[in-house]
Amino acid sequence: AQSVTQLGSHVSVSEGALVLLRCNYSSSVPPYLFWYVQYPNQGLQLLLKYTSAATLVKGINGFEAEFKKSETSFHLTKPSAHMRDAAEYFCAVSTTGGGNKLTFGTGTQLKVEL
Amino acid sequence: ETGVTQSPTHLIKTRGQQVTLRCSSQSGHNTVSWYQQALGQGPQFIFQYYREEENGRGNFPPRFSGLQFPNYSSELNVNALELDDSALYLCASSPTAGNTGELFFGEGSRLTVL
């Protein structure tokens, strides 16, 4: 079985500041890892994914994440926050052969302040 | 290209009633997954349909059932509704039951059980 833990249900940053959203995973087999974003009253949208290729993954809207096996982490970062980044972010895991059946974390609400 | 559409967007039911939620997958996608997102939580996998057959199920009781039709649209049925079934129900489609991890989500159906 696999799981993800997102540390911090709410994160607040100033516009232009670094965004860091934390995700740790647990998996008995090599994982596939994902970050999804959910804007208010919308469905989820894929930001980026790690599927055992490059450990540093670049996604949409300037976000990136680094897979660190030794730390079982897949933290999401963005160098400079923008107001439009305010949303809820979900880390998710599946496994090889998992057939797109994702296990999501509980989410981190990102607030961006002026 | 039409995205994933879900209906109804909101509905209110009472305990013990039955509900049917509908989902039209994105054009060209043959796999549909359903997730339940309770308030303040991440989405939880209910089940997946691939080419009209159930292709995996999460930890949900049998009163949660589904169908997929030849045009790959899908229904989620919930019988004997309980208060804890109140949630946002998300449908996601993907072009294959493989492991790309990229799910395309609809905006959800928000169910309130009184």
Side-chain angles (χ1 to χ4, degrees), chain A residues 9-10 15 19 33 52 55 57 62 67 69-72 77 81 93-94 98:
Chain A
S9 59
H10 292 81
E15 192 172 35
V19 175
L33 293 159
S52 75
T55 56
V57 181
F67 173 71
K69 184 178 178 181
S70 60
E71 299 177 8
T72 61
T77 60
V93 62
S94 72

Side-chain angles (χ1 to χ4, degrees), chain A residues 38 40-43, chain B residues 5-14 17-22 34 37 39 81 85-90 106-114:
Chain A
Q38 186 176 33
N41 301 314
Q42 294 188 26
Chain B
T5 58
Q6 294 187 241
S7 63
T9 54
H10 294 81
L11 68 167
I12 300 173
K13 294 284 188 178
T14 56
Q17 284 189 310
Q18 178 265 344
V19 68
T20 297
L21 308 178
R22 295 178 175 83
W34 286 92
Q37 186 179 14
L39 198 62
L81 285 167
D85 296 333
S86 295
L88 181 67
Y89 288 85
L90 294 166
E107 295 187 355
S109 293
R110 185 166 297 282
L111 171 65
T112 302
V113 182
L114 302 176

Side-chain angles (χ1 to χ4, degrees), chain A residues 56-94:
Chain A
L56 181 62
V57 181
K58 294 186 185 298
I60 61 172
N61 301 339
F63 284 93
E64 63 181 39
E66 186 172 8
F67 173 71
K68 292 187 176 180
K69 184 178 178 181
S70 60
E71 299 177 8
T72 61
S73 69
F74 190 59
H75 301 332
L76 182 70
T77 60
K78 181 174 180 178
S80 177
H82 194 278
M83 296 295 289
R84 62 174 173 259
D85 297 326
E88 187 144 29
Y89 292 80
F90 292 95
C91 183
V93 62
S94 72

Side-chain angles (χ1 to χ4, degrees), chain A residues 32 36 43 49 95 99-102, chain B residues 35 48 55 97-99 101 103 106:
Chain A
Y32 288 178
Y36 278 80
K49 61 182 179 182
T95 57
N100 287 347
K101 303 175 188 75
L102 303 185
Chain B
Y35 287 80
Q48 181 185 88
N55 182 43
N99 215 43
L103 301 178

